Amino acid sequence: MKGRFGILFLLAAFFALPVAAQQKASYVLVIHGGAGTILKKNMTPEKEAAYKSSLKKALETGYKVLQSGGSSLDAVEATVRVLEDDSLFNAGKGAVFTHEGRNELDAAIMNGKTKAAGAVAGVTTIRNPVSAARAVMEKSEHVMMVGPGAEKFAKEAGLQIVDPSYFRTETRWQDLQRAIREDSLAAAKSNAYTNPVKFGIKNRDYKFGTVGAVALDQQGNLAAATSTGGMTNKKYGRIGDSPIIGAGTYANNETAAISCTGWGEFYIRNVVAYDLSALMEYKGLSVQQAGNAVIKKVGNMGGDGGLIALDRKGNMTMSFNTEGMYRGAVTKDGKIEVEIYK
């Protein structure tokens, strides 16, 4: 009888584990398309299908690169480019508007093998900012370039330059008009100068939509990339966490590749991406434990959002503290999983 109860106990313990912990298949590519108040009751079947189709297309694109022996860097760049070209997401075409009615884009990429990294911020004419970030990493002696300088560099590097109107969508324009109205009402009720943390970022639910990818290639190398249009109605040249190495993007072969999405100010203050890596390196936490720990820190401070992370053994986590996060993963044998809600 003791033996039977022992087996039953082990089975019960197994099924009590999170689903991710039960999966034996190692992952090679994980993506996100932003986190926020994403509720099934607010989603039409057509829109849900469109998001899932886009996430699947991005995963298939990156997986083809990895399957053919390509590098994790090539995979994350190709994957993020698909999402930048898709107006459903807040990156590239379909990016949100600043208070001045502009689309200002940020992106970063990092090589887990060498810790080389590149980023661009506040650009308005580069069709695929993630490729500009990679050009900064590989074709310059710098890590980050911003604004017109980054755009000039991208043009010299042979990247596609577009008119700023390319990024505009009517949906995002209407989001800006709503944000301006609601932020104006919020500001009128309080003194903006005595409460600067809240001013201009009260209505954050429709401001998330950053995209990102993390990958593990056949050579055992990790890479991460993130791209965003930032926050709707953002003010005065604001830059979020996405292009900041260690805050929104990080990769280290010894630990994990990480891409974040959410309220950027809190990710910068908590150095979230690097913190996850450090918890693995110095405390021996698993990628899932570390992911949950850093998102808890963000939440405790008052921020929200999520992240994806992938370690060198193909273990992954998708940690978030919002109602949903557009996310997906593909295993080394090509099995694709896509999720939206909590």
Side-chain angles (χ1 to χ4, degrees):
M1 291 295 288
K2 284 185 179 179
R4 183 182 297 176
F5 281 119
I7 292 171
L8 288 172
F9 177 79
L10 288 172
L11 285 171
F14 173 79
F15 285 110
L17 289 172
V19 173
Q22 296 176 30
Q23 295 166 334
K24 293 182 179 179
S26 57
Y27 292 87
V28 294
L29 178 66
V30 188
I31 65 172
H32 69 76
T37 305
I38 305 166
L39 300 171
K40 193 172 182 66
K41 67 180 182 180
N42 298 333
M43 185 83 72
T44 64
E46 293 78 14
K47 195 170 184 180
E48 182 176 315
Y51 273 108
K52 287 185 174 180
S53 175
S54 294
L55 292 169
K56 185 170 181 283
K57 179 183 177 183
L59 286 166
E60 289 171 342
T61 300
Y63 181 70
K64 284 179 184 176
V65 173
L66 296 169
Q67 193 180 36
S68 66
S71 70
S72 52
L73 269 175
D74 288 341
V76 294
E77 181 188 6
T79 301
V80 169
R81 281 176 64 102
V82 170
L83 298 171
E84 286 178 337
D85 291 343
D86 191 325
S87 61
L88 284 174
F89 302 97
N90 175 22
K93 187 174 183 65
V96 301
F97 284 89
T98 68
H99 183 71
E100 289 79 19
R102 290 154 52 90
N103 305 111
E104 295 180 357
L105 315 173
D106 310 328
I109 195 167
M110 187 164 182
N111 182 337
K113 180 181 180 181
T114 64
K115 297 191 185 68
V120 293
V123 298
T124 62
T125 63
I126 302 170
R127 174 169 172 162
N128 293 107
V130 69
S131 294
R134 185 167 182 180
V136 171
M137 177 178 72
E138 296 180 338
K139 298 180 179 181
S140 84
E141 64 271 40
H142 306 305
V143 171
M144 181 184 285
M145 293 186 184
V146 303
E151 292 167 355
K152 181 180 179 182
F153 173 79
K155 187 174 183 179
E156 291 174 352
L159 300 183
Q160 186 173 357
I161 303 300
V162 295
D163 186 87
S165 62
Y166 164 81
F167 302 106
R168 179 193 172 101
T169 61
E170 185 59 25
T171 299
R172 298 300 193 189
W173 181 253
Q174 292 306 320
D175 284 346
L176 173 63
Q177 306 315 307
R178 185 164 81 251
I180 289 173
R181 287 193 301 271
E182 295 179 8
D183 282 350
S184 295
L185 289 171
K189 292 178 181 177
S190 65
N191 186 328
Y193 294 99
T194 59
N195 192 18
V197 174
K198 296 295 184 184
F199 179 55
I201 48 174
K202 287 286 287 183
N203 307 295
R204 59 192 186 274
D205 287 341
Y206 48 84
K207 300 179 182 181
F208 297 165
T210 296
V211 305
V214 292
L216 173 67
D217 62 30
Q218 293 180 26
Q219 291 72 47
N221 296 318
L222 292 164
T226 313
S227 182
T228 188
M231 300 178 87
T232 300
N233 200 27
K234 62 185 178 183
K235 311 291 196 298
Y236 321 126
R238 179 261 190 190
I239 302 295
D241 63 303
S242 297
I244 299 176
I245 301 305
T249 308
Y250 192 73
N252 179 349
N253 272 11
E254 298 304 310
T255 53
I258 305 108
S259 175
C260 302
T261 175
W263 197 340
E265 280 70 15
F266 291 90
Y267 283 74
I268 295 170
R269 291 168 186 152
N270 285 286
V271 202
V272 169
Y274 178 74
D275 194 27
L276 190 156
S277 173
L279 286 171
M280 294 178 68
E281 184 174 1
Y282 302 129
K283 294 192 73 174
L285 270 61
S286 70
V287 68
Q288 189 171 26
Q289 290 170 330
N292 292 340
V294 295
I295 290 298
K296 188 173 186 295
K297 285 184 183 180
V298 169
N300 288 344
M301 192 180 277
D304 49 5
L307 61 81
I308 54 172
L310 181 67
D311 73 15
R312 60 182 178 178
K313 294 181 181 178
N315 301 307
M316 66 93 172
T317 189
M318 300 169 168
S319 303
F320 57 99
N321 64 1
T322 54
E323 293 298 327
M325 181 169 76
Y326 299 110
R327 60 201 190 276
V330 59
T331 63
K332 61 184 177 183
D333 60 2
K335 181 187 176 187
I336 287 178
E337 303 164 356
V338 173
E339 299 289 343
I340 296 177
Y341 313 105
K342 186 177 285 184

